Amino acid sequence: MALLAANPALFAAAAGLAGLAIGSFLNVVIHRLPLMLERQWRAQAADLEGRTPPAEAEPYNLATPRSRCPSCQAPIRGIHNIPVLSYLALGGRCASCRTPISLRYPLVELATGIAFAAVAWHFGFGLTAGLALVFTAYLIALTGIDVDRQLLPDILTVPLLWIALIASLWQSAGGAVPPAALRDAVIGAVAGYVFLWLVFQLFKLVTGKEGMGYGDFKLFAAVGAWLGWQMLPLVLLLAAVVGAAVGIALLAARRLGRGAAIPFGPYLAGAAWIVLMWGPAIKDRYLAFAGLG
Ligand SMILES: [Zn+2]
């Protein structure tokens, strides 16, 4: 502990390595959590309609069954489950049947490792870095699930909000984020939810379409609780700018039909992470630029 506190580079390297392993776990969460929720919902729907819930062949959660190749069902051995390295060693193919493995798995591992190292380096050893790592892991899992399924599960967004609110009990006003000061966090949670809810209702009124989901409101509420209400406009601005740029690029590349739904969660999550890391710096620079600082 003292060693990590005294050596920022060592702390960043340790966090980066832990990030690779946690990225490997996040891959499991991204893939399995929506399937687990679907099972639950099917069982509940059957229950409501008075049918017998469909019998499930085997338990399915984050721990069981063991990871298998989706193509040949061969269990993935421990030696083939080392983040990034196994993918490279196997040439991106299943060890048994040589079916290509999605590049997404090593990319999520690598992104988590890099993000963890960056957070550790930026904040240094301490409570703030620990919280920022938790926030980062949640944002990556939510991004992956939203890209896959256009879904931001309550089982992730709600605890994310609670963790921030509880952590903010330990922050006095004006301190570095995270945790935000309790008052800023509570106002941030309410303002985040209500603001996107209002945008949603307005958009629906004007266009008759639903532009976002309730998961987006909850994620933005959590972001408000983590970063404080003061950072919400910046998060929204960054998310909108990046979202519009990617949307236009996809339209131009004809990868996307006009009016197709684009999940907003990944942009919110990405913007929230940028603001977590550089929000105060961006804000200071903007204020100085505007002649207010
Ligand atoms: Zn295989």
Side-chain angles (χ1 to χ4, degrees):
M1 286 292 171
L3 195 67
L4 290 177
N7 294 287
L10 189 66
F11 177 47
L17 282 179
L20 289 174
I22 288 166
S24 184
F25 172 69
L26 294 180
N27 272 321
V28 176
V29 172
I30 291 166
H31 181 71
R32 291 192 182 186
L33 193 65
L35 297 174
M36 287 158 54
L37 291 172
E38 271 167 25
R39 275 191 174 204
Q40 252 179 40
W41 294 333
R42 266 204 301 274
Q44 283 166 359
D47 198 36
L48 271 176
E49 291 164 8
R51 290 182 284 120
T52 338
E56 306 290 2
E58 52 182 1
Y60 189 82
N61 53 48
L62 294 180
T64 30
R66 290 201 47 198
S67 299
R68 286 182 203 147
C69 166
S71 182
C72 70
Q73 307 299 325
I76 294 166
R77 294 165 52 203
I79 185 76
H80 294 143
N81 217 356
I82 300 164
V84 185
L85 291 181
S86 292
Y87 184 87
L88 295 176
L90 293 168
R93 288 167 182 279
C94 168
S96 316
C97 69
R98 310 301 296 157
T99 302
I101 304 165
S102 170
L103 187 61
R104 199 179 79 179
Y105 293 99
L107 283 183
V108 167
E109 290 162 355
L110 203 60
T112 310
I114 292 170
F116 269 43
V119 163
W121 178 256
H122 184 80
F123 291 106
F125 188 77
L127 173 68
T128 294
L131 286 169
L133 291 175
V134 171
F135 189 39
T136 301
Y138 268 95
L139 290 177
I140 291 170
L142 284 164
T143 298
I145 293 173
D146 204 22
V147 167
D148 269 7
R149 307 267 176 161
Q150 283 77 57
L151 178 75
L152 295 167
D154 283 358
I155 199 170
L156 295 179
T157 52
V158 174
L160 186 62
L161 172 68
W162 282 117
I163 293 168
L165 288 180
I166 292 164
S168 69
L169 290 172
W170 278 271
Q171 178 64 270
S172 52
V177 285
L182 182 58
R183 189 187 156 84
D184 298 343
V186 173
I187 297 173
V190 176
Y193 192 96
V194 170
F195 181 78
L196 280 195
W197 183 85
L198 282 174
V199 171
F200 172 85
Q201 297 298 344
L202 260 176
F203 187 79
K204 205 170 145 187
L205 206 68
V206 173
T207 67
K209 283 188 269 188
E210 302 198 340
M212 289 180 270
Y214 277 71
D216 292 309
F217 318 156
K218 290 171 199 163
L219 173 58
F220 202 43
V223 168
W226 274 90
L227 304 175
W229 64 268
Q230 296 91 334
M231 288 293 166
L232 286 179
L234 184 57
V235 173
L236 207 58
L237 184 71
L238 285 174
V241 167
V242 178
V246 173
I248 290 166
L250 287 176
L251 268 180
R254 299 189 184 282
R255 292 276 304 274
L256 199 74
R258 254 169 223 287
I262 310 169
F264 191 46
Y267 302 112
L268 273 184
W273 195 74
I274 292 170
V275 172
L276 164 76
M277 295 286 282
W278 301 287
I282 296 171
K283 220 172 171 183
D284 289 349
R285 217 161 281 178
Y286 174 78
L287 290 178
F289 176 74
L292 300 169

